[in-house]
Amino acid sequence: MTVFLSIDQLSKRRHEAPDRYLFQGITAEVHRGQRVALLGVSGQGKTTLLRIIARLDAMDEGGLSLHGQPADNWKPQEWRAKVSYVAQQAVMLTGSVEDNLRTVSRLHGTPFDRELARTCMEALGLGALAWSKPASELSGGEKQRTALVRTLLARPDVLLLDEVTASLDPGSKRAVEQWLNAWSEREGTACVWITHDLEQAKQVSDRVWFMADGQLLEQGDTAAFFRQPETEPARRFIEWPAAGKDEANV
């Protein structure tokens, strides 16, 4: 399989205690079309890890490579067009829905693919949303889905998804899951999902990364992970999935 992204011994120290690590020695690969569920109780640094991979936060140790080229060989804007992070709390830019959808074309000087934008909006249940509507007036769920479409229009190689269905009703949530699975299969886009919903993890991933004790403790096939995890922290996580769900992500 084609390796899109390589993570090599990535480490991050805690802001409040620089002599201690939030996580240490994270090593993994993301292949073309691979769908990864990033799991673990809150406080493990999952969001921080994704933000570092997106080059939005700095690592303390280790390295990243994209298509075999170290991160330092890429301009940050070029990297973020290929490795795109979608936050749990969507940020809408000033202007209308269409202004937001046109962000990628403005930033990169490329034609706006109106047809693709319309297809994505319809697939995510936003087909009836007026593009002239001020983005600031959208509901939380509408903002979350519009931000996702905005990112998809860049056609990134790797999508980093941070609880992107957290504000959605069950029907909209299923629509996002189905569309992203279809998108990954069609475009070859790799997806790394943070989710606390274990049923969702089973639906959207073919591979699991499990973080615990400041490490990437397990990496493996999704079905095998849920059938028989290799470590005690993972077994506890599956048996008592509510633990840590209500805590804030780090």
Side-chain angles (χ1 to χ4, degrees):
M1 296 178 69
T2 303
V3 177
F4 275 179
L5 179 74
S6 297
I7 306 165
D8 183 27
Q9 294 294 315
L10 202 65
S11 299
K12 182 68 176 178
R13 296 180 183 274
R14 294 182 176 274
H15 293 298
E16 74 282 6
D19 59 328
R20 297 170 54 206
Y21 284 97
L22 177 60
F23 53 75
Q24 187 174 18
I26 304 292
T27 296
E29 290 182 345
V30 179
H31 298 143
R32 183 183 190 278
Q34 195 170 62
R35 296 173 299 126
V36 179
L38 178 53
L39 305 179
V41 298
S42 296
Q44 294 299 316
K46 299 184 295 296
T47 291
T48 300
L49 177 60
L50 289 198
R51 288 183 58 83
I52 289 173
I53 294 171
R55 296 183 67 184
L56 296 171
D57 288 345
M59 68 187 84
D60 288 315
E61 298 162 15
L64 295 168
S65 296
L66 180 64
H67 298 305
Q69 295 297 315
D72 289 345
N73 290 4
W74 293 81
K75 294 179 181 178
Q77 184 172 319
E78 293 174 342
W79 179 281
R80 291 175 194 140
K82 301 264 184 202
V83 182
S84 298
Y85 173 74
V86 185
Q88 178 177 348
Q89 299 297 327
V91 176
M92 291 288 99
L93 304 177
T94 302
S96 66
V97 170
E98 182 167 352
D99 290 331
N100 275 267
L101 295 177
R102 286 181 174 272
T103 299
V104 168
S105 59
R106 286 199 306 270
L107 284 176
H108 300 287
T110 56
F112 176 56
D113 193 336
R114 179 177 292 274
E115 188 58 35
L116 178 60
R118 192 172 301 282
T119 298
C120 290
M121 293 290 277
E122 289 176 353
L124 298 186
L126 298 174
L129 184 66
W131 288 20
S132 59
K133 185 174 183 176
S136 60
E137 295 180 5
L138 300 180
S139 70
E142 289 171 337
K143 288 178 179 178
Q144 203 163 41
R145 284 174 286 167
T146 300
L148 178 57
V149 173
R150 184 176 62 193
T151 301
L152 290 175
L153 292 176
R155 281 192 159 99
D157 291 336
V158 182
L159 266 174
L160 306 173
L161 305 165
D162 192 351
E163 292 277 7
V164 296
T165 61
S167 300
L168 303 184
D169 61 83
S172 297
K173 177 180 170 183
R174 284 193 297 273
V176 169
E177 294 169 354
Q178 290 168 2
W179 182 243
L180 287 178
N181 283 345
W183 181 276
S184 178
E185 184 174 346
R186 186 182 78 184
E187 299 283 329
T189 306
C191 298
V192 182
W193 288 66
I194 294 176
T195 179
H196 283 112
D197 183 336
L198 299 190
E199 288 306 312
Q200 181 177 67
K202 295 174 185 177
Q203 293 296 320
V204 303
S205 73
D206 48 49
R207 192 164 179 81
V208 165
W209 294 354
F210 176 71
M211 291 183 71
D213 302 327
Q215 304 172 63
L216 190 53
L217 206 58
E218 294 197 31
Q219 301 181 57
D221 174 79
T222 297
F225 175 83
F226 282 103
R227 183 173 59 251
Q228 189 171 6
E230 297 176 357
T231 61
E232 184 59 29
R235 284 191 285 273
R236 290 199 303 269
F237 178 77
I238 291 173
E239 291 171 4
W240 296 289
K245 279 188 180 179
D246 296 329
E247 300 172 26
N249 282 337
V250 175

